[in-house]
Amino acid sequence: MDYQQSPTGKGRLFGVGLGPGDPELVTVKAVRLIGEADVIAYHSARHGRSIARGIAEPYLRGDQLEEQLVYPVTTETTSHPGGYAGAMDDFYAEAAARLAAHLDAGRDVALLAEGDPLFFSSYMHMHKRLAARFETFIVAGVTSVSAASAAAGRPLVEANEVLTVLPGTLPASELAEWLARTDAAAIMKVSRGFAGIQTALDKAGRLADATYVERASTHRERVQPASDVDPETVPYMGIVIVPGPLASTGPLVHSASSQPADAAPAAAAASAAGSLAGRVDVVGLGPAGRDWLTPQAQTALSEADHIVGYSTYVARVPVNGRQRRHSSDNKVESERAEFALDLARRGNRVAVVSSGDPGVFAMASAVIEVAAQPAYAEIEVNVIPGITAAQAVASLVGAPLGHDFCILSLSDRLKPWSVVERRLAAAAAADLVIALYNPASAARRQQIVDAKAVLLRHRSAETPVVIGRAVGAPEQEIHVVTLGELDPDTIDMRCLLIIGSSQTQLATGPGGTQRVFTPRRFPG
């Protein structure tokens, strides 16, 4: 089918089936449409990993807008006044509104679905809410039933046999009745009640013929008799197949998985309940790049209506046409916090972004301080932690922060240098490993010179010093020198320094690389 651009100027919604997990089982049509779409949408749990996105990743362009639709609740309890159903109805309505914003703007949206979009798929909930307003197309996908049968190397039905697809969430007695009167069966949704499924299979006299298939077609595929499976080990991506009488003869054959080793299957459930009303999330972006971004931070960014922050950090957030971006100078933290809280007070979801962790010399303190004012007392504020620069630099050389350490900023813009110097001397005298933030800038050159002098009054000139510059960026540099060798002229604002204690040691790794560590035990 040739999909023509809509004459209305609005975008088109494509429900794209991705198959059971192997990226090579994605259809040619699905690959083409994924590559052409303006927006890629997918569901995930709150941990941020998405089975659908993992399958489709080889076919993404890299410059597309992404909408991550995070389930508010799955098996856990919820405080929503409407219970589970109410929480899910609100979620689907909000998710549909987010997609509709793109479609109204003329952007084509590919909503990814594992298996087939109209077979036990969350896509159906978007289809029911959007198909009447926008042109909608379905791209069929290989179902998990077909993949499980292939994995077991056993046909499900032959001749005139009847196949019944059953949800494993049925009561065991009802499930047993269905199993007793059908020729063949595929049992879906097996993770929560597998012990009951085994009971139903046994009661119906079908347990001996039943085969359990886990993560069919992926590199983590598992196939074994259903009677041998420990119910405690069954994940979300499991299925039981019960062949019909004609197909059930012959031994169980486990076919080879076709999944590439670098694919990323994951459980697709669970999240935390919470309001979708106005709120502020202060989000830590980590040192740099998607690899340093936590799933929790990624979720908060994808759900936001507004992105607020210092221009350098806002630029690190992928552009989403549904969102508004507000960049400002690095010296207006209180004004930025007040602006974000005002947006939230009008019912918006706002993400205030910081590099590293927002609670370490960053925006969390400013936002919480302003939010303490009576005018913002009812605004929900969440701090989403991030990987700090200190952690990132330390990880690249070993474990220099393995014992007691402190973090100090050498900037005297918000506190007097006399305070900085006094605290630095105290930390040095206490023999703490010290992580130095903001060690120098174009306008602040003397502070690092003075800091070195203070440290040498308490530390040996042979003390290891780790210099991390632009960690996580393509131009990243890591150097290990001694305190005596430290050249202040080589230090700038993009650097973080870790000054070792008296116990910090050097070791040699593969290829002559240097490792730095501070032992967990202190002498005496």
Side-chain angles (χ1 to χ4, degrees), residues 40 92 121 145 247-248 271 362 425-426 465:
I40 302 297
Y92 287 128
S121 170
V145 174
S248 62
S271 161
V465 176

Side-chain angles (χ1 to χ4, degrees), residues 236-315:
Y236 179 78
M237 300 297 285
I239 185 171
V240 173
I241 58 172
V242 186
L246 295 177
S248 62
T249 57
L252 174 67
V253 178
H254 182 184
S255 63
S257 171
S258 59
Q259 176 68 9
D262 61 351
S271 161
S275 172
L276 293 173
R279 61 185 247 189
V280 173
D281 292 316
V282 192
V283 181
L285 300 177
R290 185 185 180 97
D291 288 346
W292 298 89
L293 188 69
T294 68
Q296 186 184 19
Q298 184 176 324
T299 296
L301 293 175
S302 72
E303 294 178 347
D305 303 307
H306 296 262
I307 306 294
V308 176
Y310 172 42
S311 56
T312 300
Y313 304 146
V314 171

Side-chain angles (χ1 to χ4, degrees), residues 40-413:
I40 302 297
Y42 50 88
H43 291 84
S44 81
R46 193 171 179 84
H47 51 55
R49 299 184 300 274
S50 167
I51 298 172
R53 190 188 187 283
I55 299 170
E57 187 164 15
Y59 312 117
L60 301 179
R61 291 201 312 263
D63 63 346
Q64 292 157 299
L65 305 180
E66 294 191 18
E67 281 289 354
Q68 183 177 7
L69 310 176
V70 182
Y71 295 112
V73 65
T74 51
T75 60
E76 70 273 24
T77 58
T78 175
S79 60
H80 193 284
Y84 175 88
M88 293 304 293
D89 282 345
D90 283 354
F91 162 67
Y92 287 128
E94 188 267 345
R98 286 166 59 182
L99 299 187
H102 289 294
L103 295 165
D104 279 328
R107 304 183 192 100
D108 287 344
V109 177
L111 179 51
L112 309 180
E114 308 99 271
D116 183 89
L118 298 181
F119 186 76
F120 286 113
S121 170
S122 291
Y123 168 80
M124 293 182 287
H125 300 282
M126 297 298 97
H127 187 84
K128 287 186 284 188
R129 288 167 171 81
L130 297 172
R133 297 169 53 192
F134 305 98
E135 282 196 279
T136 306
F137 304 94
I138 307 298
V139 182
V142 177
T143 69
S144 57
V145 174
S146 298
S149 177
R154 176 179 292 174
L156 274 172
V157 285
E158 293 184 22
N160 293 325
E161 291 179 329
V162 175
L163 170 65
T164 303
V165 179
L166 300 168
T169 50
L170 289 174
S173 58
E174 186 176 347
L175 190 60
E177 292 176 6
W178 278 103
L179 289 167
R181 62 174 180 257
T182 189
D183 296 318
I187 307 176
M188 315 280 291
K189 304 180 181 180
V190 301
S191 59
R192 280 182 284 164
F194 198 80
I197 292 171
Q198 288 174 316
T199 299
L201 287 164
D202 188 40
K203 184 177 180 180
R206 312 296 296 271
L207 184 59
D209 291 329
T211 301
Y212 169 76
V213 182
E214 175 181 308
R215 298 185 174 96
S217 83
T218 76
H219 72 287
R220 298 168 65 189
E221 181 180 280
R222 174 164 66 125
V223 181
Q224 66 183 107
S227 57
D228 296 345
V229 176
D230 179 357
E232 297 299 320
T233 67
V234 176
Y236 179 78
M237 300 297 285
I239 185 171
V240 173
I241 58 172
V242 186
L246 295 177
S248 62
T249 57
L252 174 67
V253 178
H254 182 184
S255 63
S257 171
S258 59
Q259 176 68 9
D262 61 351
S271 161
S275 172
L276 293 173
R279 61 185 247 189
V280 173
D281 292 316
V282 192
V283 181
L285 300 177
R290 185 185 180 97
D291 288 346
W292 298 89
L293 188 69
T294 68
Q296 186 184 19
Q298 184 176 324
T299 296
L301 293 175
S302 72
E303 294 178 347
D305 303 307
H306 296 262
I307 306 294
V308 176
Y310 172 42
S311 56
T312 300
Y313 304 146
V314 171
R316 286 174 48 187
V317 180
V319 174
N320 184 326
R322 180 183 57 81
Q323 298 172 331
R324 295 192 62 184
R325 299 157 73 88
H326 310 273
S327 300
S328 53
D329 183 79
N330 200 28
K331 299 178 181 179
V332 290
E333 292 183 349
S334 295
E335 293 89 340
R336 186 184 302 137
E338 186 171 354
F339 176 74
L341 288 161
D342 282 335
L343 286 173
R345 191 161 54 176
R346 295 197 290 270
N348 294 292
R349 294 287 294 271
V350 184
V352 178
V353 295
S354 289
S355 181
D357 183 279
V360 179
F361 302 126
M363 279 301 299
S365 179
V367 174
I368 297 296
E369 183 177 6
V370 176
Q373 299 175 16
Y376 303 112
E378 301 303 317
I379 301 299
E380 181 182 355
V381 177
N382 300 294
V383 178
I384 312 297
I387 298 171
T388 67
Q391 292 170 308
V393 171
S395 71
L396 296 173
V397 295
L401 305 181
H403 207 285
D404 298 337
F405 69 95
C406 74
I407 292 176
L408 287 171
S409 170
L410 286 192
S411 172
D412 56 358
R413 189 172 67 84

